[in-house]
Amino acid sequence: MSRTIGLALGLAMLGSTATPAQDLPGDPERGRAIAVRWCIACHEIDRGVREPSTVDAPTFQAVADDPAVTELALRAFFQTPHRDMPNLQPSAEDKADLIAYILSLKGRPDG
């Protein structure tokens, strides 16, 4: 994981376990669709994939596997500009859905 992602996640770390579906901040299916549209060019987004893409961006599964990754940590990450990422401006609903998709991968590494 890049130092920037680690720092943003570390600042917002609260500890986490697998997130039940009813506790997700948005719709994970819509979040996956958003990831296909915006993120897949650099990130592997599918459940169980842990090998980074050709641009060495962390996989969504690797992000979800990190115990420091919580809803708050991801919200902080999406609020912070990142030098190695395009300056995407997702709506609040899109952020919630992306976060829900990433959190839905926690505790389900093999899909």
Side-chain angles (χ1 to χ4, degrees):
M1 185 173 303
S2 78
R3 291 175 62 143
T4 304
I5 293 171
L7 179 60
L9 295 176
L11 291 173
M13 183 171 62
L14 292 177
S16 177
T17 58
T19 304
Q22 66 270 18
D23 292 339
L24 294 175
D27 182 322
E29 289 181 32
R30 282 196 313 250
R32 186 178 190 295
I34 293 165
V36 166
R37 192 170 61 243
W38 288 353
C39 310
I40 204 164
C42 297
H43 297 272
E44 296 290 342
I45 65 165
D46 291 323
R47 182 182 316 278
V49 177
R50 290 184 175 79
E51 294 298 318
S53 69
T54 57
V55 296
D56 205 29
T59 70
F60 277 30
Q61 185 66 61
V63 171
D65 289 347
D66 186 333
V69 172
T70 63
E71 179 183 348
L72 181 60
L74 290 169
R75 286 190 185 282
F77 175 79
F78 284 122
Q79 293 297 330
T80 308
H82 297 90
R83 152 179 71 115
D84 297 335
M85 282 181 51
N87 188 21
L88 300 174
Q89 301 282 323
S91 69
E93 183 178 3
D94 288 346
K95 285 179 200 174
D97 293 340
L98 278 167
I99 291 167
Y101 177 64
I102 293 168
L103 293 177
S104 78
L105 301 175
K106 279 190 171 292
R108 299 183 186 129
D110 298 318

